[in-house]
Amino acid sequence: MKLLKNLLPAMAVSLAALSVPSALAAQWHMPTPYGDANLPTKIAYDFAEQIKASTDGEVDIKVHSGASLMKHPEIPRAVRTGQVQLGEVFIGIMGNTHPIFKHDNIPFLATDYEQAQKLWEAAKPEIEKQLSKEGMILLYTVPWPAQSLYTKKPVNSLADIKGTKMRAYSPSTSRLADLMDTTPTTVQVPDIPQAFSTGIIDAMVTSPSTGANGQAWDYLSHFTEIKAWIPKNFVVVNKRAFKRLDKDAQKAILDAAAAAEARGWAEVLDQEAKDTKTLADNGIVVSKPSEQLLNELQAIGVTMTEEWEAENSRALAPVLKAYKN
């Protein structure tokens, strides 16, 4: 009995030591607004798994997809305030914070992936500067397929959709809807099918992925490949949460982020082709834009670029100069 009494303290110390790794493990939460079928969400899951593996579970990230933890507009504030440690956000949704976040929502400023990458490299320093001011660090970005026009009828000119209700999801898309002589109506991705079915919206400009994953053939009939811009999501982390990690864990996160970004840019073009085919295979009429429609939209693009630069020429003029040179 005396021997047992002497062993108990030692056993307690040993058990405590065994529990240390789990006690130190960081359970992080990562909300993302898009469903599991979307490329950015697939990449987010792999990103989390890579970090868990490379840190031996020290950083364990739980991905909450499809706006299941919080609605999309709430994610930037949640990361900034530390309510969650990191999150995925459509960059343009932060356009009211600073105009640099609108850089990839300007129609016809960058319409192919080479241009989009060049625009991103030009905008990235200012993006990182503004995020830092808000207590966040940029981890990685994933581009969406080029944005095109979904409607319930053929559209050969803007006159064909004048007065209709256009889905908006950022300050820039609201302005685009205004310039197209339509009524901007804010609808987040999970609500698109119901919004079309109940007449809340009549049209939208978004990626073929959004339409394919949301079974757009159930509520509309036409997809016009205007390929107006190539927007992106980014994943941001709370600066304080990141800096509390040791250097090895920080490096593991940054390495996983670099791999995630490389995968996003490498796979987006194939994703665009695959999802456009899915639309066509399910009965949606996929067509190229008429010359008149393209000219009208390109004119809007010029207007929106000028308006965007005027919002903060000191910050944005260097971005445009770097992009165009």
Side-chain angles (χ1 to χ4, degrees):
M1 183 63 70
K2 186 175 180 180
L3 178 61
L4 181 59
K5 286 181 180 179
N6 290 335
L7 285 173
L8 284 174
M11 290 173 64
V13 170
S14 298
L15 289 171
L18 287 172
S19 68
V20 167
S22 60
L24 293 178
Q27 175 69 72
W28 281 15
H29 295 276
M30 178 180 174
T32 179
Y34 304 102
D36 291 349
N38 288 280
L39 177 61
T41 310
K42 293 176 182 177
I43 290 175
Y45 280 119
D46 288 345
F47 167 72
E49 284 299 318
Q50 183 177 337
I51 290 169
K52 184 177 181 180
S54 58
T55 63
D56 293 324
E58 180 185 340
V59 182
D60 185 5
I61 298 173
K62 181 173 177 56
V63 177
H64 301 268
S65 64
S68 58
L69 184 63
M70 57 188 57
K71 294 182 179 179
H72 194 176
E74 299 168 358
I75 295 175
R77 182 179 181 277
V79 177
R80 183 173 66 246
T81 60
Q83 184 180 350
V84 295
Q85 292 79 15
L86 71 170
E88 183 166 22
V89 178
F90 183 82
I91 297 178
I93 206 171
M94 293 180 64
N96 285 333
T97 304
H98 190 282
I100 190 60
F101 296 113
K102 300 178 184 178
H103 77 280
D104 63 356
N105 272 207
I106 308 299
F108 298 99
L109 182 58
T111 57
D112 63 41
Y113 295 100
E114 183 178 351
Q115 291 174 352
Q117 282 189 301
K118 187 176 180 183
L119 179 59
W120 170 238
E121 291 304 321
K124 187 176 179 180
E126 188 66 30
I127 291 273
E128 291 180 318
K129 176 182 173 183
Q130 296 305 320
L131 287 173
S132 182
K133 287 181 179 179
E134 297 190 36
M136 294 183 280
I137 297 171
L138 173 69
L139 291 180
Y140 70 86
T141 186
V142 176
W144 284 97
Q147 307 289 283
S148 289
L149 179 65
Y150 290 84
T151 54
K152 296 181 178 181
K153 61 180 183 179
V155 175
N156 294 307
S157 71
L158 291 181
D160 293 331
I161 53 173
K162 181 178 180 179
T164 60
K165 290 166 283 188
M166 176 76 70
R167 177 200 172 218
Y169 52 83
S170 68
S172 296
T173 53
S174 291
R175 179 57 177 154
L176 173 64
D178 284 334
L179 292 171
M180 290 173 70
D181 232 347
T182 62
T183 302
T185 306
T186 300
V187 175
Q188 299 303 328
V189 169
D191 303 321
I192 288 173
Q194 184 178 5
F196 267 102
S197 299
T198 58
I200 293 173
I201 53 174
D202 306 301
M204 64 181 177
V205 178
T206 190
S207 71
S209 300
T210 302
N213 294 328
Q215 297 185 355
W217 47 89
D218 289 338
Y219 47 85
L220 52 80
S221 56
H222 286 73
F223 179 71
T224 307
E225 293 186 290
I226 59 174
K227 297 191 176 184
W229 68 92
I230 296 166
K232 300 178 294 295
N233 293 352
F234 58 20
V235 172
V236 291
V237 63
N238 178 277
K239 190 188 295 186
R240 285 173 296 179
F242 184 79
K243 289 189 173 181
R244 280 196 293 264
L245 298 174
D246 61 45
K247 295 297 182 182
D248 288 342
Q250 290 180 6
K251 183 178 185 303
I253 290 173
L254 296 177
D255 288 347
E261 181 156 331
R263 178 185 170 189
W265 286 97
E267 295 186 15
V268 66
L269 192 57
D270 286 344
Q271 191 69 49
E272 179 180 308
K274 176 184 173 182
D275 291 333
T276 302
K277 184 176 184 300
T278 297
L279 296 177
D281 288 347
N282 283 277
I284 289 182
V285 178
V286 176
S287 62
K288 302 297 181 186
S290 69
E291 186 176 351
Q292 180 178 348
L293 178 62
L294 203 56
N295 288 340
E296 290 172 335
L297 289 171
Q298 286 174 340
I300 288 175
V302 171
T303 298
M304 288 187 65
T305 300
E306 292 172 350
E307 290 177 347
W308 177 62
E309 184 177 5
E311 286 187 58
N312 188 331
S313 59
R314 188 177 203 176
L316 303 180
V319 173
L320 281 172
K321 183 178 180 181
Y323 168 57
K324 293 178 177 179
N325 286 346

